[in-house]
Amino acid sequence: MKDAHTRRYLLANEVAEEQLVTAPETIVGKTAFDLYPTDAAEIITRDDDKLLQSPDGLFLDEHIWSTPTIGRRYITSTRIGIRDKSGEPRYIINVVEDVTERRRAHEKIAHMAHYDALTDLPNRTLFREQIERELAKVADGGQFALLYIDVDEFKGINDSLGHHVGDELLKAIATRLRGCLKKSDLIARLGGDEFAVIQTGIQSRADVLSFVTRIYEAIRQPYHCLGHQLSTDASIGIALAPQDGNDLDQLIKNADLAMYGAKAEGRRTHRFFEPEMDACAKARLTMEQDLRQALVNGGFEIHYQPLVDLRSGEVSGCEALLRWRHPERGGISPAEFIPIAEDTGLINELGDWVLRMACNEAATWPAHVRVAVNVSPVQLKCDTLALRIAGALAASGLDPRRLELEITEAVLIRDDEAALAILHQLRAIGVRIALDDFGTGYSSLSYLKRFPFDKIKIDRCFVADIAETSGAPVIVQAVVNIAAASHMTTVAEGVETEAQRELLRALGCTEMQGYLFSAPKPASEVRKLFGPSHAVPVAAVA
């Protein structure tokens, strides 16, 4: 407390004594200029003046204050003016509270709300605010580039080496990306393995391409993370402001579309946004919605393509093939809608429907005719698949040995132990497993060691010119020999001519499938093809 006229202290408590490192009696009777440096004393005097000029006799303030004993602190200062009976100022009471820890806690909370905990980069929330500010600047001219950066194959590193190694890699990538920026550029981690960068002050695409080159050079250098040497790459999508969007959400969406465009081209590359990308995204969304509706309305049907025994010429099985007749677009190719069903997870529900329908239909066929159903790699990631297949078999009454599940090499490329475990569960039920399209993509004989397939389907690309070239028969013969040695059967796909059939039979292939015998047909029509009367004539065996 101090006298309002003389500004001399009349009273001080123990906390004031501790901060001023002096005895209470030495404070009393002195002014701020006796106790503090001149600049600090002038601030105190100015605030006292503001209090005395205040009509309600109250003055509040919060600021940094340097104390002789504990250094710089955040304080709140509450000044109260006491007047005498005549209304003249008599005393000034100043209550000072140290709020340093509370202020630091608030700052920490604010930082956590706007910065990524792992990399300490701005998060999505703060980055959106930064983009808004940059958009306001380009309204007066100029442009900037928004880059969305997705780290390629990061999930594989996380899954195989653990999240602790993945986290170290993300921190290292963040550091390298920072090193590519100029002072006015901005960077953020959007979550997971996605980063975003604002490149400011660009003049042309050439500036952006140069920047992207620096980013790739930085990202592609080897990393050393917790004893592991790693390498990685990125897919980068680029949207330019304002030409690709002068609205925050539109610009972000376009950069995201461009990034997915880069991923669709095989990753490890960049793409600038193009208006066609937006149209494709809208078409994809429409198809996804139509797929969901077709599942509800029963818009799908199954056609069956026979597999013919090359020895007897009789139908030994049929492959169930999904067909979708859109009410407006007509028939839509599975190559067009299956990838969307896989990306959205609809493939699980769709696959279950195909399985139930195929099992129910096959249960009405002759006992020697099997049914083959394709299983997506996405379905094989679900640990309840074997249970659902067992349920479909039980509901239909179909002998498990009459069901063949066809999988592609994509299931085995990454040595997916979970998928292999599910395949073994299915084998234990009694279901047969076929490897589809063998000879394409990443074909490896190691697949045949890792899982004992019942059947190998030889891709149509080897069958198409088998009668015209010398190489194709050799490859088919090799596959047939390998299969026979492991007690597997073989199916040649896409057989369309009598010459192809005869050569495949001579090479020892077990079955054929193709238009020579029959195109895929509805269930009611394919049933007519069963039995000896519809067998393909077999030439005498030499």
Side-chain angles (χ1 to χ4, degrees):
M1 178 188 292
K2 68 178 67 171
D3 186 287
H5 298 289
T6 65
R7 307 291 174 91
R8 293 185 181 280
Y9 289 100
L10 305 175
L11 180 68
N13 68 359
E14 291 182 2
V15 177
E17 175 188 4
E18 292 170 359
Q19 291 187 354
L20 293 172
V21 196
T22 183
E25 56 268 27
T26 60
I27 297 176
V28 174
K30 296 183 178 180
T31 68
F33 287 94
D34 297 325
L35 301 171
Y36 299 101
T38 300
D39 56 346
E42 289 176 347
I43 293 173
I44 293 172
T45 302
R46 187 168 61 247
D47 289 347
D48 287 344
D49 292 341
K50 291 178 181 178
L51 167 70
L52 297 178
Q53 294 167 8
S54 171
D56 59 1
L58 189 66
F59 178 73
L60 305 175
D61 188 27
E62 181 174 334
H63 55 267
I64 296 175
W65 187 257
S66 294
T67 68
T69 55
I70 53 177
R72 289 164 60 86
R73 310 293 289 177
Y74 284 104
I75 65 166
T76 59
S77 175
T78 304
R79 282 177 167 77
I80 304 170
I82 305 297
R83 298 178 181 273
D84 58 20
K85 292 181 179 180
S86 63
E88 292 297 315
R90 181 68 185 275
Y91 303 111
I92 297 173
I93 299 175
N94 190 7
V95 180
V96 178
E97 182 181 2
D98 186 337
V99 295
T100 304
E101 297 308 319
R102 186 171 69 198
R103 176 70 175 264
R104 287 175 178 168
H106 288 167
E107 289 175 347
K108 183 177 181 180
I109 292 170
H111 187 85
M112 291 171 63
H114 291 91
Y115 287 84
D116 173 53
L118 179 66
T119 63
D120 204 37
L121 294 177
N123 62 14
R124 188 183 296 270
T125 301
L126 179 56
F127 195 63
R128 287 176 64 90
E129 296 174 6
Q130 293 172 333
I131 297 174
E132 288 275 32
R133 288 196 293 269
E134 292 302 317
L135 283 170
K137 292 178 185 178
V138 300
D140 299 325
Q143 57 181 335
F144 69 87
L146 174 60
L147 288 73
Y148 263 36
I149 304 169
D150 183 84
V151 179
D152 292 332
E153 308 300 340
F154 177 74
K155 185 178 184 300
I157 293 173
N158 242 1
D159 291 347
S160 59
L161 300 179
H163 289 275
H164 59 299
V165 176
D167 286 349
E168 289 300 313
L169 177 60
L170 289 175
K171 288 192 285 186
I173 291 172
T175 300
R176 292 190 185 179
L177 288 174
R178 276 198 196 100
C180 297
L181 309 184
K182 59 179 182 291
K183 189 174 182 180
S184 59
D185 295 338
L186 302 165
I187 183 174
R189 181 186 177 210
L190 304 181
D193 57 359
E194 286 190 16
F195 296 86
V197 171
I198 295 175
Q199 183 191 13
T200 59
I202 63 171
Q203 301 299 319
S204 66
R205 283 195 175 200
D207 294 337
V208 183
L209 288 172
S210 176
F211 182 49
V212 168
T213 299
R214 293 202 307 275
I215 288 175
Y216 275 126
E217 287 175 350
I219 287 179
R220 288 168 176 167
Q221 293 297 315
Y223 299 83
H224 297 278
C225 299
L226 302 179
H228 299 277
Q229 181 166 321
L230 307 173
S231 60
T232 191
D233 216 309
S235 301
I236 302 177
I238 307 159
L240 304 178
Q243 53 264 55
D244 291 334
N246 52 17
D247 169 78
L248 171 66
D249 291 324
Q250 184 67 39
L251 189 66
I252 288 175
K253 186 188 81 169
N254 290 345
D256 200 37
L257 285 172
M259 182 190 74
Y260 278 99
K263 292 172 72 173
E265 288 196 357
R267 305 176 186 268
R268 296 172 176 78
T269 188
H270 69 276
R271 283 288 303 276
F272 282 89
F273 170 75
E274 299 169 0
E276 295 79 10
M277 293 176 177
D278 193 25
C280 289
K282 289 177 180 176
R284 181 184 175 88
L285 178 60
T286 298
M287 181 169 288
E288 179 186 340
Q289 293 170 338
D290 289 348
L291 271 172
R292 294 182 187 279
Q293 194 62 42
L295 274 168
V296 174
N297 297 340
F300 296 100
E301 59 181 297
I302 301 176
H303 286 195
Y304 297 88
Q305 185 171 31
L307 284 76
V308 178
D309 187 297
L310 279 169
R311 290 284 177 184
S312 67
E314 293 187 354
V315 174
S316 56
C318 291
E319 180 179 359
L321 299 169
L322 185 63
R323 295 292 182 260
W324 179 22
R325 185 160 296 280
H326 193 279
E328 297 172 1
R329 296 177 54 188
I332 298 178
S333 168
E336 190 175 350
F337 70 82
I338 290 296
I340 295 177
E342 290 179 328
D343 289 346
T344 58
L346 289 172
I347 193 67
N348 288 308
E349 186 177 351
L350 199 51
D352 285 350
W353 180 84
V354 171
L355 184 69
R356 291 194 303 270
M357 296 297 292
C359 287
N360 289 339
E361 172 62 26
T364 68
W365 297 346
H368 70 280
V369 180
R370 298 190 180 95
V371 65
V373 177
N374 291 281
V375 176
S376 162
V378 176
Q379 291 174 268
L380 275 164
K381 291 181 180 179
C382 182
D383 54 11
T384 62
L385 179 62
L387 185 62
R388 300 204 307 273
I389 290 175
L393 287 167
S396 65
L398 184 70
D399 186 334
R401 292 171 296 180
R402 292 179 58 199
L403 174 63
E404 289 183 346
L405 299 179
E406 296 187 4
I407 69 166
T408 63
E409 296 165 355
V411 173
L412 306 171
I413 288 172
R414 295 182 183 176
D415 195 20
D416 191 333
E417 294 301 327
L420 288 174
I422 292 172
L423 290 178
H424 282 291
Q425 291 173 11
L426 294 169
R427 171 62 63 73
I429 294 172
V431 173
R432 290 165 56 88
I433 310 295
L435 181 59
D436 198 9
D437 299 332
F438 188 77
T440 62
Y442 300 89
S443 292
S444 170
L445 295 179
S446 66
Y447 300 160
L448 306 182
K449 290 183 178 179
R450 286 156 53 199
F451 187 81
F453 292 94
D454 297 288
K455 178 182 289 186
I456 298 175
K457 299 192 75 173
I458 302 169
D459 190 77
R460 64 183 62 245
C461 68
F462 296 105
V463 175
D465 56 358
I466 192 169
E468 285 79 27
T469 65
S470 58
V474 174
I475 295 173
V476 170
Q477 182 71 75
V479 174
V480 168
N481 291 344
I482 292 168
S486 301
H487 306 289
M488 303 177 191
T489 58
T490 48
V491 179
E493 299 180 295
V495 181
E496 298 181 357
T497 69
E498 185 65 30
Q500 292 170 347
R501 183 184 74 85
E502 284 302 316
L503 188 50
L504 288 165
R505 189 179 63 80
L507 291 172
C509 194
T510 314
E511 296 173 322
M512 74 170 192
Q513 180 179 9
Y515 279 35
L516 176 63
F517 182 77
S518 174
K521 295 179 179 292
S524 58
E525 295 182 28
V526 80
R527 294 189 201 114
K528 301 173 184 178
L529 301 178
F530 300 155
S533 61
H534 294 281
V536 178
V538 179
V541 180

